[in-house]
Amino acid sequence: MTTAADILNTARSRVYEETPYAGAVTPEEAYALLQLDAAVKLVDVRTNAERDWVGRVDIADTQHGAVQWATYPGGLPNPDFLAQLASQAGKHDVLLFLCRSGVRSRHAAKLATENGYPHCYDILEGFEGDKDADGHRKQVAGWCKAGLPWLGA
């Protein structure tokens, strides 16, 4: 049986010299971690509009946080990102950062790590994954494509 420690060890093996955070997990590994350890927190860094209009991860509210990396409308960096993160997570919590396709989550994991959160992990592929040949998401990779629980808009 796979344990939370096994998954985190695998995630840490995905760290490269230029990766300034603890590691990276697949959507399936992220979901398994959330099931195995109630203290693990998923931090959705998409905008409120994305969560409202596209959907959100369906997990226990105690494990689900939401801190916009950028604001909507406008896409400006959220100047209160770290303060909002601090209100939802402790410095030593295991934090899994999620965005649409895995870009903002990397930035969020990096910033959080640089500010004293040592257990930050990027969720690879994000919620919707990259676009397919027709420009549609949720078809190639990501939380939704993996068939993990989510609530539609």
Side-chain angles (χ1 to χ4, degrees):
M1 177 178 179
T2 302
T3 67
D6 294 333
I7 295 169
L8 292 174
N9 283 334
T10 298
R12 285 189 284 275
S13 75
R14 294 186 185 111
V15 172
Y16 305 100
E17 194 170 303
E18 67 278 359
T19 305
Y21 43 84
V25 294
T26 66
E28 296 88 348
E29 290 168 341
Y31 185 67
L33 275 171
L34 291 161
Q35 300 304 299
L36 291 166
D37 187 344
V40 172
K41 296 189 184 328
L42 184 144
V43 181
D44 192 330
V45 300
R46 295 175 301 147
T47 65
N48 294 336
E50 286 175 286
R51 285 188 300 279
D52 290 346
W53 297 338
V54 177
R56 71 178 204 92
V57 171
D58 186 14
I59 57 173
D61 286 341
T62 57
Q63 287 184 281
H64 189 272
V67 182
Q68 297 182 108
W69 178 253
T71 60
Y72 179 85
L76 298 174
N78 177 0
D80 298 319
F81 180 83
L82 288 170
Q84 292 169 0
L85 179 63
S87 74
Q88 296 183 31
K91 290 275 186 170
H92 293 286
D93 289 342
V94 172
L95 304 177
L96 309 177
F97 289 90
L98 176 76
C99 67
R100 180 183 62 199
S101 61
V103 176
R104 289 172 284 176
S105 56
R106 284 194 301 267
H107 294 301
K110 176 182 184 292
L111 182 66
T113 299
E114 290 168 346
N115 283 274
Y117 295 84
H119 308 291
C120 296
Y121 296 85
D122 174 35
I123 300 178
L124 301 167
E125 304 170 10
F127 184 71
E128 296 181 86
D130 291 330
K131 293 179 182 177
D132 66 12
D134 296 320
H136 301 128
R137 294 191 187 272
K138 299 182 183 173
Q139 306 299 314
V140 177
W143 188 279
C144 297
K145 170 69 172 149
L148 300 171
W150 64 284
L151 301 169

